[in-house]
Amino acid sequence: LAEEIEALLADDRRGGRLREGLTIAIAGAPNAGKSTLFNWLAGREAARIDIRVHVPTRTNLKLRKTADARPAASAGAVTVHGVEGNLEVETLAGDIVLTEVSGSVMAHSRHGRVAVTIVRVSPDRPMAFTSYEGHVDVTLPAATKAKLKLHTTRSDIFTDFTLAENERVPRPADARRGGRRSTGRSITAALNGGGPQFELRSYLGHVFLRKGP
């Protein structure tokens, strides 16, 4: 068998294909699924596409990413930084990461985490941050007024806001030490006297509500 392989490799025509491999092109119309096919053949996300869009600081955004991937971390995140406006972001897979945004946020990821840092909130608009599999991690300004609805079905809730004197809620730092394990929890509370409804919800992940400056 070894002699047959050596003879085949020595053949200029057939052996060249084995030594150098074949070059294959996947051609098709835009958005026809070429990257999806390539990733499937490779068995990994080898053809990842990043899209970067620059917008004015004061902009209302509605972003929806429908591409699916497993694990969710391989799907790529939707990231928004420094935008002020009404933001609606939804992903089927992949994280949602919003940093130093202002205004109002509606964010949902089915198979990824939702991490949002808000520096200024709209005083009269409700917000929602939800995920099925991932953690929901939201930082709000310390003076934010809102009616909070926090829920997790399979994990726990952590916050460093003072919600009520009779409500012992673990601080975010407790999660790194293991925190408290629970089979689900819901909290409804007025933050700084109350305001529009803010919902933070996850089925499998933790819910973090952090106090910003």
Side-chain angles (χ1 to χ4, degrees), residues 17-198:
R17 293 178 182 175
L18 291 176
R19 292 192 303 270
E20 301 173 6
L22 297 174
T23 300
I24 299 175
I26 301 177
N31 299 318
K34 299 183 293 297
S35 296
T36 301
L37 174 60
F38 184 74
N39 291 337
W40 180 80
L41 292 171
R44 59 188 178 88
E45 190 163 352
R48 176 172 167 172
I49 299 175
D50 292 325
I51 300 175
R52 178 173 295 183
V53 180
H54 294 271
V55 299
T57 300
R58 293 185 177 180
T59 303
N60 295 331
L61 293 178
K62 187 173 185 178
L63 307 174
R64 187 168 186 262
K65 183 164 75 71
T66 58
D68 197 359
R70 297 292 187 278
S74 68
V78 173
T79 303
V80 178
H81 175 77
V83 173
E84 179 180 348
N86 301 325
L87 310 181
E88 297 181 32
V89 186
E90 179 182 358
T91 67
L92 179 60
D95 297 340
I96 295 174
V97 181
L98 312 181
T99 57
E100 297 184 23
V101 298
S102 302
S104 67
V105 175
M106 295 286 181
H108 172 71
S109 178
R110 180 169 179 80
H111 299 296
R113 70 186 176 101
V114 174
V116 181
T117 300
I118 302 177
V119 294
R120 287 185 303 278
V121 302
S122 296
D124 56 350
R125 295 186 65 89
M127 300 197 208
F129 314 84
T130 61
S131 176
Y132 180 79
E133 291 186 355
H135 298 321
V136 171
D137 193 329
V138 178
T139 300
L140 297 174
T144 300
K145 296 179 179 293
K147 180 180 179 181
L148 298 176
K149 186 176 182 180
L150 315 177
H151 177 79
T152 175
T153 304
R154 302 291 296 274
S155 293
D156 210 341
I157 297 169
F158 301 86
T159 185
D160 47 10
F161 278 101
T162 301
L163 300 184
E165 293 182 1
N166 61 350
E167 185 67 64
R168 169 67 178 100
V169 184
R171 295 169 65 85
D174 294 338
R176 295 193 293 270
R177 297 191 292 268
R180 179 177 67 250
R181 293 291 177 263
S182 67
T183 57
R185 195 170 189 209
S186 293
I187 294 175
T188 300
L191 182 62
N192 293 322
Q197 180 169 291
F198 289 6

